[in-house]
């Protein structure tokens, strides 16, 4: 999805992308440049998510399979978490930095010296 984020925002006016796995730095930059957000949904909740869909109105680029563009009519959608925002904030970066700090502290507590970054 990463390679499609900027064209979707720029060409088609998409402002919200929803997923569970996150996107990378290029998408984060596109959200900041063009005004958009990535909303995260909890993985494993697909059965619940389908109950929010009242109708599938259109599918485009269906040869892309999971990355196809779907237009739904929905009701009661959510909750969702803003995981990447239009100001350059990324929940994934925050969580990763915290995890790396905890890992470093745990290794130091065990007397393991890291010589090179991963």
């Amino acid at each position: 999805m990463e390679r499609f984020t900027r064209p979707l925002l720029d060409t088609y006016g998409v402002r919200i992308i929803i997923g569970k796995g996150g996107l990378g730095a290029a998408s984060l930059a596109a959200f900041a440049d063009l005004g958009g957000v990535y909303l995260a949904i909890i993985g494993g909740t697909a059965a619940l998510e389908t109950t929010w869909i009242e109708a599938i109105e259109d599918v485009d680029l269906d040869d892309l399979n999971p990355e196809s563009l779907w237009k739904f009519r929905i009701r009661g959608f959510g909750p969702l978490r803003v995981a990447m925002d239009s100001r350059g904030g990324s929940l994934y970066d925050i969580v990763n930095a915290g995890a790396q700090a905890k890992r470093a502290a745990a290794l130091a507590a065990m007397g393991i010296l890291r010589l090179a970054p991963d």
Side-chain angles (χ1 to χ4, degrees):
M1 210 43 218
E2 182 75 13
R3 66 186 169 136
F4 300 111
T5 302
R6 185 172 290 277
L8 286 172
L9 272 63
D10 193 35
T11 304
Y12 298 102
V14 170
R15 290 298 175 255
I16 299 172
I17 296 177
I18 300 171
K20 62 179 175 48
L23 294 170
S27 292
L28 188 60
F31 293 138
D33 294 345
L34 301 169
V37 296
Y38 180 82
L39 302 179
I41 194 159
I42 298 169
T45 61
L48 173 62
E49 294 161 23
T50 61
T51 66
W52 303 327
I53 300 170
E54 292 183 336
I56 299 171
E57 295 183 351
D58 193 16
V59 180
D60 198 8
L61 304 172
D62 57 345
D63 57 323
L64 295 177
N65 297 315
E67 283 78 27
S68 298
L69 300 178
W70 294 72
K71 181 179 180 182
F72 299 113
R73 185 173 59 243
I74 56 173
R75 178 180 34 88
F77 196 67
L80 302 169
R81 178 167 304 270
V82 176
M84 300 175 110
D85 64 35
S86 61
R87 296 180 180 169
S90 171
L91 180 61
Y92 301 103
D93 290 347
I94 293 167
V95 169
N96 187 49
Q100 291 298 323
K102 287 181 181 181
R103 179 178 186 259
L107 289 172
M110 292 185 286
I112 298 172
L113 176 65
R114 287 190 18 165
L115 299 176
D118 305 24

